[in-house]
Amino acid sequence: MSADQPQPGKDRRPLVGIVMGSDSDLPVMEKTAEVLRKFDVPFEMTVASAHRTPARAAEFAATARERGVRVIIAGAGHAAHLAGAMAAHSTLPVIGVPIDSSAFQGFDALLSTVQMPPGIPVATVAVGKPGATNAGILAVQILAVGDPDLARRLEAHRKEMAAGVEEKARNHNAGRRGCVPAGY
Ligand code: RP5
C-alpha cells in the first residue's frame, strides 16, 4: 500500500489518491477503495500523517497532480488535520473522511476536517465507513463531470440501489424476515 507502487495488475495512472493517517484507518478507507474498484477508477492508496510525517503528507499532496491524480481523499481520526494539509498543498479537490478512531468516536475528527478556513475547502463526508463509501462515490461524480461513460455507470449504480430498496419493500410486504406487512 504505497503511492510509489502501482496497483497489482494495473499499469494505469491513478485518478484518485487515497491517503490515511495510519494503517489502523484501513478498515474504514477500504470502503472507498471498494467503490473505486466497482467503477473501475484507478487509484493509489498510502499512509501519511499530518502530524507524525508532515513532510511526507505535504509531498503526497504537492506531487499528486503530476502523478495524474484528479481527486484526493484523506481519512484521519483524532485531531484530524490530514485533509486540511492535503488542501493546503494542492489545488485538486480534496474530500475528507473523519475517522471514528478516538474516544470521541470521530466527533473530534469531524470538526477538525470540516471547519476549514475560507479559501482552503475540504469536502467533508460523514464519519466512518458510510463517509468512506460516499467519498468514493463523490470522487467518481467529480470525475464523471468530464466522462460520459462514468456518468452512465453512476446512473446504473443509482438504479441498482433503488432496485435493492424495492426488493426489501417486497420482502417486507410479504411478511418475510420478521416484517409486519404495510398496507401498500
Ligand atoms: C490518527 O490517529 C490516524 O488517522 C488514526 O485514526 C489515529 C490513530 O492512529 P494509530 O495510533 O492507530 O496509528 O492520526
Side-chain angles (χ1 to χ4, degrees):
M1 190 177 59
S2 158
D4 316 319
Q5 292 167 5
Q7 292 173 69
K10 302 212 172 190
D11 54 5
R12 297 179 298 166
R13 297 180 87 201
L15 289 173
V16 177
I18 304 174
V19 60
M20 63 200 89
S22 169
D23 60 352
S24 62
D25 299 323
L26 187 58
V28 173
M29 297 310 293
E30 185 54 37
K31 291 288 174 191
T32 303
E34 268 175 32
V35 170
L36 298 178
R37 281 191 205 102
K38 179 183 165 80
F39 284 94
D40 197 28
V41 169
F43 64 91
E44 60 181 14
M45 199 180 205
T46 193
V47 173
S49 165
H51 301 123
R52 293 167 175 163
T53 61
R56 178 174 167 74
E59 194 193 348
F60 178 87
T63 58
R65 192 184 288 275
E66 66 203 43
R67 288 195 304 278
V69 169
R70 295 291 170 260
V71 183
I72 294 175
I73 299 175
H78 294 241
H81 295 124
L82 186 58
M86 293 296 108
H89 290 283
S90 174
T91 54
L92 290 172
V94 175
I95 303 171
V97 183
I99 295 195
D100 43 343
S101 57
S102 71
F104 290 103
Q105 295 171 330
F107 188 54
D108 43 2
L110 171 64
L111 294 180
S112 307
T113 305
V114 78
Q115 287 289 41
M116 290 297 291
I120 309 290
V122 165
T124 305
V125 292
V127 173
K129 287 182 179 176
T133 296
N134 276 351
I137 294 172
L138 183 55
V140 174
Q141 288 177 326
I142 292 169
L143 295 169
V145 168
D147 185 336
D149 182 51
L150 208 45
R152 273 190 291 277
R153 278 182 271 153
L154 277 166
E155 289 294 337
H157 175 69
R158 287 276 168 103
K159 285 188 182 137
E160 228 175 79
M161 271 195 307
V165 174
E166 295 292 347
E167 169 71 19
K168 285 175 188 172
R170 273 195 299 278
N171 283 336
H172 181 95
N173 285 348
R176 284 198 283 273
R177 300 171 67 187
C179 291
V180 178
Y184 70 101

